[in-house]
Amino acid sequence: MDAFERIPVDVRWKLAAREVSALPLAYRRAIRDGADDQLYNEIERAVWQEQGREAGVIARAFGMPLGDAREVAEAFAAATGVLFGPEYQYEIRDSAPGEAVLTVRKCAMVVRAKEQGENPLVVCNACHAYANAAIPDLNRGYTPTYMSAICAGDGTCSIAVKPARQE
């Protein structure tokens, strides 16, 4: 057995997810002193938009249905759980016709921010960039609408998955 295989699969996943959820904080510390806030926020959004598109890669690789708002919310939550680990805790409910609400009860990025003594608000930019890219990538007919955010001090994050406006 090689050294890698000595680490149980579930422990590997938890450790990897822990590091992914700490990335916004690591980027912020590494770049914060060399860039103004606007430039930093643009760079951070670009990175997390790319990460958000991975939700679609995961969903399609495992044949997740993506036809309606609930299916999009379920695929988004499942892929996000894969990327961020078991600390990401959520539930999904139908709301208005053609819409679903994803309620995040525990956010790994907020947990990391608190562990590192950072204001949880610093992870909002990364999270929103991730979700704003992921949901339309899962199904171009849907978009997220934020109703509450743990990182902004709310008890939960509530993200409505709604039909995108046709323009």
Side-chain angles (χ1 to χ4, degrees), residues 138-150:
L138 290 164
N139 183 322
R140 295 267 177 242
Y142 292 93
T143 188
T145 300
Y146 302 90
M147 302 178 315
S148 64
I150 295 172

Side-chain angles (χ1 to χ4, degrees), residues 1 28 33 45 48 52 58 61 84 104 111 116-118 146:
M1 175 185 302
R28 185 166 290 280
D33 294 336
R45 273 192 298 276
W48 285 93
I58 292 167
F84 291 97
V104 179
V111 170
Q116 296 181 22
E118 295 277 355
Y146 302 90

Side-chain angles (χ1 to χ4, degrees), residues 19-38:
E19 293 309 309
V20 167
S21 65
L23 282 175
L25 302 162
Y27 284 130
R28 185 166 290 280
R29 280 192 303 278
I31 300 170
R32 166 175 49 206
D33 294 336
D36 66 24
D37 286 342
Q38 182 177 355

Side-chain angles (χ1 to χ4, degrees), residues 31-115:
I31 300 170
R32 166 175 49 206
D33 294 336
D36 66 24
D37 286 342
Q38 182 177 355
L39 176 60
Y40 175 78
N41 288 335
E42 289 175 22
I43 293 167
E44 183 178 54
R45 273 192 298 276
V47 168
W48 285 93
Q49 286 167 345
E50 286 302 315
Q51 186 69 28
R53 290 183 191 93
E54 288 301 307
V57 172
I58 292 167
R60 285 185 265 294
F62 292 95
M64 295 179 193
L66 302 169
D68 62 31
R70 184 175 188 91
E71 291 174 346
V72 170
E74 288 172 350
F76 171 80
T80 301
V82 167
L83 295 170
F84 291 97
E87 286 179 306
Y88 180 74
Q89 297 172 2
Y90 63 89
E91 62 187 49
I92 298 168
R93 65 176 172 79
D94 294 323
S95 56
E99 297 178 6
V101 174
L102 170 68
T103 301
V104 179
R105 301 232 173 267
K106 189 174 179 188
C107 171
M109 286 195 282
V110 169
V111 170
R112 294 292 86 70
K114 289 179 179 178
E115 285 175 357

Side-chain angles (χ1 to χ4, degrees), residues 10-22 82-85:
D10 64 322
V11 173
R12 283 184 242 159
W13 175 50
K14 288 176 186 175
L15 292 172
R18 181 177 179 82
E19 293 309 309
V20 167
S21 65
V82 167
L83 295 170
F84 291 97

